[in-house]
Amino acid sequence: MALKISLSSVLFLGATALTIHSTDDLPTLATSNDLNCAPGGNFDLKAFNLQLPTGSSGKVDQISGVKLAGCQGWSSPDYFYTSSSGALMMKVPSRSVCVTTPNSKHCRTELRESLPKSWDPKNSVNVLKVTLSVPTPDDSKYGTVIGQVKVDDDISKKPVAELFYNRSGNLTIGVSQIPDVSSLKMTVVGHVEVGNTFQYQLSYESGKLGVQIDGGEKKIMGTGELKSPRSYFKVGNYNQGHEPSEVVLNDVQIKHQA
C-alpha cells in the first residue's frame, strides 16, 4: 500500500495564505514509495512536528517538518523509519529508558499537526483519516494512543479526545468532559485483531466530535462542558504502558475547511 499524507485546506503562515487544494477527493502529496528514502521522501511531512521519546528530563527531542521533508530528511533506525514493506514505522521503547514531556508521564513517537497550528472546531470540516496497523500495542489497560484531538496549547494542555488500541484488539475513545481536568470518558468503538490493517477517522466539525472505524457508522461523542476550543490533530504512537510499542502508518489524510 502506497504511503501518503493528504492535506485539504488553506494554511495561513503570517499574512500569507497557501492554498493546498480544495476538492472533496484527497489526492496524495506523496512523491514515491522508495524503500531507500527517509519517511519524508515518501510523503509530505512539512505540516507536522515529530515528538520523540528521547531528549533530556522534561524536554523531549522534536523534529520540525522542514527537517523531516525529503528523501534525505530526518529518520531514526530506532524510532522513526521506512520499513522493509514501505510503511512508516513509529516505535516507542520501554518507559524505563524513554523521556517524557513536562505534562505527561508517558512516552511517544508522535506527529503533531503544525500547519495550521490549530483550527476552529465550529467550522464545517476538520477530519483526520488514518490507515494503519498496530503489531505491538503497549501493555496498559486501554493500550497505545494512535490518534488525538488536542486543545490548542495556548488554551490547555489537555486532550479533547484520545483513541486507544490495546492488546485485545479493542479500540476505545477517551473524551474529556471538563477543561483542564483529567476526566476522560471511555467508550469502546471497535475491535480489530492485533496486527491487522484498519482505518479510523476522527472529526471535530460544527462543534461535534465524531469517530469512525473502518468506514462504519460515525459515532458522535459527548464532550461535556467543553465549548469547542481551538484544537489540532496528533497521530502516531503514544505509549501508555511500560513495555515497548509499535505503530505502522500506511496512509494519513487531513482535511480542513478552507
Side-chain angles (χ1 to χ4, degrees):
M1 181 181 295
L3 295 170
K4 61 183 179 181
I5 286 185
S6 303
L7 306 174
S8 180
S9 63
V10 176
L11 306 180
F12 291 93
L13 182 61
T16 303
L18 172 63
T19 302
I20 303 300
H21 61 80
S22 58
T23 61
D24 290 333
D25 295 326
L26 295 176
T28 179
L29 295 182
T31 53
S32 63
N33 194 15
D34 188 337
L35 303 186
N36 296 313
C37 278
N42 288 317
F43 50 93
D44 193 341
L45 297 175
K46 291 190 295 293
F48 296 89
N49 286 337
L50 175 65
Q51 296 177 320
L52 290 162
T54 58
S56 57
S57 179
K59 186 178 181 180
V60 302
D61 292 327
Q62 300 194 52
I63 311 298
S64 70
V66 172
K67 292 182 179 179
L68 292 172
C71 186
Q72 302 303 315
W74 188 91
S75 65
S76 163
D78 297 318
Y79 307 117
F80 186 83
Y81 60 91
T82 301
S83 74
S84 60
S85 66
L88 169 52
M89 181 69 75
M90 303 180 78
K91 291 186 175 183
V92 174
S94 65
R95 188 184 297 183
S96 63
V97 297
C98 72
V99 177
T100 65
T101 63
N103 299 297
S104 175
K105 62 181 180 181
H106 304 298
C107 311
R108 71 190 79 206
T109 299
E110 193 175 32
L111 290 164
R112 184 242 196 256
E113 189 179 17
S114 59
L115 288 175
K117 178 179 177 292
S118 64
W119 34 262
D120 188 348
K122 294 186 287 294
N123 288 343
S124 61
V125 181
N126 296 299
V127 61
L128 167 68
K129 184 184 293 185
V130 181
T131 303
L132 75 164
S133 63
V134 188
T136 311
D138 67 49
D139 56 323
S140 64
K141 177 179 179 180
Y142 295 107
T144 307
V145 173
I146 55 176
Q148 297 191 65
V149 181
K150 284 291 297 291
V151 179
D152 187 298
D153 297 333
D154 293 334
I155 301 171
S156 172
K157 303 302 181 184
K158 299 297 182 181
V160 176
E162 296 180 331
L163 183 63
F164 300 78
Y165 181 84
N166 71 8
R167 291 183 174 182
S168 296
N170 291 327
L171 286 145
T172 304
I173 192 166
V175 182
S176 291
Q177 303 299 301
I178 304 172
D180 295 320
V181 175
S182 296
S183 58
L184 294 182
K185 182 178 180 180
M186 310 299 284
T187 304
V188 176
V189 292
H191 178 86
V192 177
E193 292 299 317
V194 173
N196 287 0
T197 299
F198 64 98
Q199 183 184 88
Y200 74 78
Q201 180 172 300
L202 293 174
S203 59
Y204 200 10
E205 304 167 324
S206 302
K208 295 182 179 180
L209 177 71
V211 59
Q212 285 178 279
I213 306 300
D214 273 339
E217 178 185 0
K218 183 177 182 178
K219 297 178 174 66
I220 301 300
M221 313 304 299
T223 53
E225 299 298 319
L226 286 176
K227 305 298 182 183
S228 301
R230 291 191 65 84
S231 301
Y232 60 90
F233 290 124
K234 300 188 81 174
V235 58
N237 182 351
Y238 182 23
N239 186 307
Q240 305 295 295
H242 293 85
E243 298 180 5
S245 55
E246 297 178 344
V247 171
V248 182
L249 296 184
N250 297 104
D251 182 78
V252 179
Q253 300 180 31
I254 292 178
K255 187 176 182 181
H256 297 301
Q257 177 182 340

